[in-house]
Amino acid sequence: MPSLVRDFAIAVANSLSCSLGHPSTASLAVLSTAIGNTRLVGRKDWKEPPVFWGALIGQPGSLKTPVLKAVTRPLKDIQEHSYSDFCKERQKYETQKQEYDQQAKVNKSQSKRKRKEPLQETEEEEIPNECFNPIEPIPPHFKRTTIDDATVESLAVQLSINPRGLGLIKDELSGWMMSFNQYNKGGSDVAKYLEAFNANTIEIDRKQSFPPIIRIPRAYLSILGGIQPNILCKLFRGDNTDNGLFSRFLFSFPPDMPVKLQDDRLSDEIQSQWSNLIWTIRYGLELKTNEFGNSEPDLIELDYNAWNLFHVVFEEIEQERTSELATFEEKTFLSKMRGYVLRIALILHTAKQAQREPRVFDPDERISEETLREAREIVWWYFGELREIVNFSSHQKFISEQKPLDEKTFSKVRQYFLRRAAKGESVDARGLRSSHRDLFATTQDAAIALDSLARIGCCTSIGGNSKRAYIWNTTQSV
């Protein structure tokens, strides 16, 4: 990760006594929003936009909101600056509109009077001068960088005004998710957002508004927000998993730990450096357009060594995705990991260009092997976070359903524990499912069984995140 981005994320984590994953995830989302529709990554037959959807998972009081405020502050400052310019332009427009309306009223009055007075034989009809026929002024638009609440229709309006793209920043993503199809009984809200994830074309039909159709050729929307783990498990069951919404998010899910009061605050220097980086990207990268007035991003390619490494990463992901031990959630996430490796590589590459002197955003500079390697590590870390979510969701599902193990299953699992213990080895969900396919259809089912045994004291959980394993309690009777 670029040194400035890394140092800022560490500073935020230290000042707030929170996990490094939260400010790191938020930083990538903010960088993604700053880049917008100015760049793509890949090659001619495979292009990825730097769109990034990130979610900070934590219980109430786990400092999700302070992290969001600290990291997204530059985007808010840019928007405040834009709003100040908008107010000045609006005031100028209102003055020009008033002058236009007055002149139009005079022209209309003169036109009526002349129609009543017939021309003399020696007179010619006067051709109105430009000063008497002014052009009606065009109202200015507020150029946004972020939004915090919007229906799909209003989002389409904002994207049409802001072709560079937007960032949706929400303290609680649950409110956004639960608002789907609130005003659209046809149920197409999620589909529109999925199109925005790939910066595809979005078209909105409006029966009672003008214009009747809103068309955004490249709808770019990055998303960042917080969500509580219990609510996440409820929202991402059923449709939200099947439709692909779940697999497009990258989650930061640290263990729930006590918050410590820190004497050190985020220094003005590091905050200023972070703000300068975002402002540099926002105003240093030009939004180019084609002959139709639509955005035309620069294509940033990987260098030779980076492409060779990407082939290796691609095979790694496919091997994991096609594994019989992979859960459905893991398979769907892995299908998006291939693109996310490229997206994050582009974000890191652009941030490195922005912090160098002189700050030149050369579109011909290719992404290096080192940058792609960093992106690879980041994406695999997010895969580990996903596994932790799957384990947590399995545990919550077990609690809600209260499924006890039958005597046959309990006996076989216990014998498996004892065999592993004799070798000095622990038990995990994948290994249990692999050795007992007749008992567990999926790794998730095996994880539920292990959680159930741990809850009644038969075994003890060790490790954390994706490396969670269990050991049998020797005090249990045979």
Side-chain angles (χ1 to χ4, degrees):
M1 185 174 285
S3 58
L4 197 156
V5 180
R6 182 188 63 248
D7 293 345
F8 175 73
I10 293 173
V12 172
N14 291 338
S15 66
L16 295 175
S17 182
C18 67
S19 165
L20 182 59
H22 278 7
S24 298
T25 299
S27 297
L28 289 172
V30 169
L31 288 166
S32 164
T33 303
I35 297 170
N37 259 329
T38 63
R39 290 185 156 188
L40 294 170
V41 61
R43 58 192 185 191
K44 291 183 179 180
D45 58 342
W46 184 5
K47 302 175 183 178
E48 293 281 344
V51 173
F52 185 98
W53 288 9
L56 315 183
I57 307 175
Q59 300 290 356
S62 59
L63 303 179
K64 300 186 298 295
T65 299
V67 170
L68 288 173
K69 286 183 178 180
V71 180
T72 62
R73 178 179 170 183
L75 294 180
K76 303 293 184 181
D77 291 343
I78 291 173
Q79 187 148 296
E80 284 297 320
H81 178 75
S82 178
Y83 183 72
S84 178
D85 291 341
F86 167 74
C87 290
K88 295 176 183 177
E89 293 176 2
R90 181 73 186 182
Q91 188 175 11
K92 181 180 179 181
Y93 161 77
E94 290 176 352
T95 301
Q96 294 176 341
K97 185 67 166 64
Q98 186 177 10
E99 293 174 353
Y100 170 82
D101 291 341
Q102 290 176 349
Q103 187 60 55
K105 186 176 181 180
V106 171
N107 290 350
K108 184 177 181 180
S109 176
Q110 291 179 348
S111 177
K112 287 183 179 179
R113 187 172 65 252
K114 287 184 178 182
R115 283 199 298 268
K116 292 180 181 180
E117 298 175 359
L119 294 173
Q120 302 296 327
E121 294 182 0
T122 58
E123 291 181 337
E124 294 182 359
E125 184 176 2
E126 293 185 7
I127 299 176
N129 194 290
E130 288 184 359
C131 64
F132 294 100
N133 291 274
I135 299 175
E136 183 174 2
I138 301 174
H141 294 297
F142 176 27
K143 298 293 184 180
R144 296 175 179 267
T145 54
T146 65
I147 55 174
D148 59 8
D149 191 19
T151 62
V152 167
E153 183 174 322
S154 62
L155 172 64
V157 172
Q158 290 300 325
L159 287 173
S160 66
I161 297 172
N162 301 276
R164 188 185 184 107
L166 294 168
L168 174 65
I169 313 295
K170 296 285 292 183
D171 277 353
E172 288 293 339
L173 287 171
S174 57
W176 167 67
M177 294 173 185
M178 289 187 289
S179 69
F180 292 159
N181 304 321
Q182 184 176 356
Y183 303 100
N184 182 7
K185 302 307 179 182
S188 63
D189 284 6
V190 174
K192 301 298 183 185
Y193 283 109
L194 297 184
E195 293 294 338
F197 177 78
N198 291 316
N200 290 335
T201 299
I202 290 180
E203 294 182 349
I204 304 291
D205 295 320
R206 308 194 300 173
K207 296 180 180 179
Q208 300 178 350
S209 302
F210 185 84
I213 297 178
I214 300 179
R215 187 176 187 275
I216 303 96
R218 291 190 54 80
Y220 186 104
L221 182 70
S222 287
I223 300 175
L224 174 65
I227 191 168
Q228 297 177 31
N230 293 335
I231 296 177
L232 175 72
C233 292
K234 294 177 182 178
L235 290 174
F236 282 116
R237 289 176 186 165
D239 292 343
N240 287 327
T241 300
D242 296 337
N243 60 27
L245 188 69
F246 180 85
S247 62
R248 285 165 171 79
F249 274 92
L250 298 181
F251 299 98
S252 171
F253 187 23
D256 189 20
M257 301 177 63
V259 176
K260 297 180 181 179
L261 181 61
Q262 297 291 331
D263 294 329
D264 296 335
R265 58 184 291 270
L266 189 63
S267 70
D268 293 337
E269 180 182 2
I270 192 68
Q271 182 73 66
S272 177
Q273 290 174 353
W274 172 244
S275 295
N276 290 339
L277 180 70
I278 301 305
W279 280 72
T280 298
I281 294 174
R282 178 71 181 184
Y283 292 105
L285 284 175
E286 179 186 359
L287 180 65
K288 300 177 182 178
T289 56
N290 56 24
E291 64 272 21
F292 303 107
N294 300 326
S295 58
E296 191 73 19
D298 288 323
L299 178 62
I300 311 299
E301 299 183 6
L302 277 64
D303 67 21
Y304 179 78
N305 291 331
W307 266 119
N308 287 339
L309 176 60
F310 184 68
H311 280 287
V312 175
V313 177
F314 191 97
E315 292 176 1
E316 290 175 348
I317 294 173
E318 282 303 288
Q319 184 176 1
E320 188 73 33
R321 188 185 67 83
T322 55
S323 169
E324 293 182 358
L325 300 179
T327 66
F328 174 77
E329 291 84 0
E330 291 172 352
K331 288 179 181 290
T332 55
F333 178 83
L334 288 162
S335 67
K336 300 296 179 292
M337 268 183 64
R338 298 168 297 200
Y340 256 127
V341 172
L342 295 176
R343 294 180 185 213
I344 293 177
L346 175 58
I347 293 172
L348 300 180
H349 173 76
T350 304
K352 289 179 179 180
Q353 287 183 321
Q355 72 177 36
R356 287 199 311 242
E357 293 291 348
R359 294 171 176 173
V360 178
F361 296 100
D362 182 5
D364 294 327
E365 180 184 353
R366 300 193 172 193
I367 297 173
S368 68
E369 179 184 4
E370 177 188 1
T371 300
L372 189 72
R373 195 176 300 278
E374 293 171 355
R376 170 200 201 181
E377 294 176 0
I378 291 173
V379 168
W380 279 115
W381 179 83
Y382 280 118
F383 181 63
E385 294 294 278
L386 175 77
R387 281 184 170 174
E388 180 65 14
I389 294 171
V390 172
N391 290 338
F392 179 84
S393 178
S394 300
H395 181 65
Q396 295 300 308
K397 182 180 179 182
F398 167 77
I399 293 176
S400 63
E401 296 179 355
Q402 289 294 306
K403 278 187 177 179
L405 297 182
D406 58 57
E407 185 176 350
K408 175 184 175 182
T409 302
F410 178 85
S411 177
K412 287 190 174 183
V413 171
R414 179 182 173 280
Q415 291 299 324
Y416 177 69
F417 261 104
L418 296 179
R419 290 196 301 270
R420 299 281 293 183
K423 300 177 182 179
E425 299 173 344
S426 59
V427 173
D428 60 25
R430 289 192 163 209
L432 179 60
R433 192 259 171 174
S434 179
S435 61
H436 293 81
R437 295 176 182 273
D438 58 325
L439 300 179
F440 307 108
T442 66
T443 304
Q444 185 172 347
D445 291 336
I448 294 174
L450 291 173
D451 281 341
S452 69
L453 292 174
R455 288 185 68 252
I456 61 177
C458 291
C459 61
T460 301
S461 172
I462 59 175
N465 295 336
S466 59
K467 299 181 180 179
R468 177 174 292 176
Y470 298 82
I471 56 175
W472 192 261
N473 292 334
T474 56
T475 55
Q476 290 298 316
S477 59
V478 175

